[in-house]
Amino acid sequence: MPIKLPSDLPAYDVLTHEGVMVMAEEQAARQDIRPLRIGLLNLMPKKIDTETQFARLIGATPLQIELTLIRMTEHETRNTAPAHMEAFYRPFQDVKNEFFDGLIITGAPIEHLPFQEVTYWDELVEIMDWTQTHVHSTFGVCWGGMAMIHHFHGVQKHMLEAKAFGCFRHQNLTPASPYLRGFSDEFVIPVSRWTEIRQDEVDAAGLTTLLGSEDVGPCLIEDAAHKALYIFNHFEYDSDTLKGEYDRDVAAGTQINVPMNYYPGDDPARPPQNRWRSHAHLLYGNWVNQMYQTTPFDITQIAHGTSR
């Protein structure tokens, strides 16, 4: 089954060209089935790139997905055309009375700021609390995951001396987890951040670490009590996303290392290789499947904590 997207959303044409099954809203309306409702709270500046990356992953399962693009209510983006935001995004205050099977909260390039100094922090706190009564499963990604683990457990983010930048080897720490079905024992994941979450603080919070790295620390955390997963690295990245970040910093004269273990021979003149795509599809496919197996058919029952 395909992912349901507006036919004029840029991701529709991109994913159709890639062979991902997509369905226009008018087609989906003719199917007698309840799709999984997944919201994407997109905090990234390049919103079109980000929405395409996540739509690609959650649209690769056999289930019909209805993707709702959500933005912060008052925050104005400076990197995406207002017409695009007006056409495809709904402010949180307009969806807060609705229910979702899943919600993805993306990262944001504001790692250097204390959480309470982020201009939309108060509304984000409202959203995180809202997930406990209106969302069956929430996936916090990079800064979004750090914000959630801080809000619910007081776990701090810590500044790194140098940016963790490149493709780092990770270990499968909990092979029996339903979110890790099909995972290898070791694999690489793109990393791009100036902050870290520390394993001892995760352990002290009583949370389960599913994926981790000896080089860049915990990666994927399960928070069963809050119906959430937190991932601090970027399975969703395209093959050339790290290259785009590196080229941008080089052009701006910013001090930046060549992303580790990314270019063949660590040579930026050579095309980067994608060695994480299959595990990206496994993780998000497992998340969607687990959601489908446990979410109530009557979506309003999420408010009562009901599962199948």
Side-chain angles (χ1 to χ4, degrees), residues 10 25 59 86 120 131 162 172 186 202 223 227 251 253 263 269 276 290:
E25 292 175 324
E86 180 67 25
Y120 50 76
T131 65
N172 180 349
E186 290 193 339
V202 173
D223 182 358
K227 306 179 296 180
Y263 296 105
W276 61 89
Q290 189 69 7

Side-chain angles (χ1 to χ4, degrees), residues 2 17 25 36 107 149 164 230 240 246 248:
H17 179 73
E25 292 175 324
L36 289 178
I149 199 172
Y230 314 132
D240 61 355
Y246 175 71
R248 176 201 63 201

Side-chain angles (χ1 to χ4, degrees), residues 149-163:
I149 199 172
H150 173 73
H151 175 61
F152 288 127
H153 298 280
V155 175
Q156 300 295 321
K157 60 182 174 70
H158 301 274
M159 292 298 300
L160 295 167
E161 293 182 2
K163 185 177 184 179

Side-chain angles (χ1 to χ4, degrees), residues 177-204:
S177 169
Y179 298 108
L180 302 182
R181 291 189 186 99
F183 263 62
S184 303
D185 294 334
E186 290 193 339
F187 40 87
V188 298
I189 309 176
V191 181
S192 179
R193 51 180 165 82
W194 286 96
T195 53
E196 67 175 355
I197 297 295
R198 294 177 179 168
Q199 186 64 59
D200 60 337
E201 296 183 23
V202 173
D203 295 340

Side-chain angles (χ1 to χ4, degrees), residues 40-45 50 53-54 103-113 115 120-121 124 128 138-151 155-158 160 163-166 170 189-198 202 216 218-221 229-237 241-242 245 283-284:
L40 177 66
L41 179 63
N42 193 350
L43 306 176
M44 291 294 287
T50 301
Q53 290 167 353
F54 283 107
L103 177 72
I104 298 170
I105 301 177
T106 75
I110 48 177
E111 293 178 89
H112 61 289
L113 291 175
F115 290 118
Y120 50 76
W121 179 250
L124 185 58
M128 292 186 287
T138 305
F139 211 143
V141 179
C142 200
W143 184 86
M146 293 182 180
M148 291 188 71
I149 199 172
H150 173 73
H151 175 61
V155 175
Q156 300 295 321
K157 60 182 174 70
H158 301 274
L160 295 167
K163 185 177 184 179
F165 190 45
H170 285 65
I189 309 176
V191 181
S192 179
R193 51 180 165 82
W194 286 96
T195 53
E196 67 175 355
I197 297 295
R198 294 177 179 168
V202 173
V216 290
C219 169
L220 179 65
I221 308 296
L229 294 172
Y230 314 132
I231 189 167
F232 309 125
N233 303 328
H234 291 284
F235 267 132
E236 81 281 2
Y237 269 9
T241 302
L242 290 178
E245 295 181 11
L283 177 60
Y284 283 90

Side-chain angles (χ1 to χ4, degrees), residues 238-304:
D238 292 327
S239 301
D240 61 355
T241 302
L242 290 178
K243 171 178 166 53
E245 295 181 11
Y246 175 71
D247 291 348
R248 176 201 63 201
D249 288 347
V250 170
T254 303
Q255 182 67 34
I256 187 68
N257 295 326
V258 174
M260 294 180 61
N261 199 27
Y262 175 57
Y263 296 105
D266 290 329
D267 180 2
R270 301 174 66 183
Q273 295 179 325
N274 189 313
R275 293 177 291 125
W276 61 89
R277 184 184 294 115
S278 59
H279 281 87
H281 282 283
L282 277 174
L283 177 60
Y284 283 90
N286 287 340
W287 177 58
V288 169
N289 180 63
Q290 189 69 7
M291 195 187 318
Y292 171 74
Q293 297 289 338
T294 58
T295 194
F297 183 82
D298 178 358
I299 198 169
T300 64
Q301 292 301 306
I302 290 172
H304 307 293

Side-chain angles (χ1 to χ4, degrees), residues 118-138:
V118 174
T119 57
Y120 50 76
W121 179 250
D122 288 345
E123 186 175 33
L124 185 58
V125 167
E126 180 185 0
I127 292 170
M128 292 186 287
D129 289 339
W130 167 84
T131 65
Q132 301 305 288
T133 54
H134 288 72
V135 179
H136 183 65
S137 180
T138 305

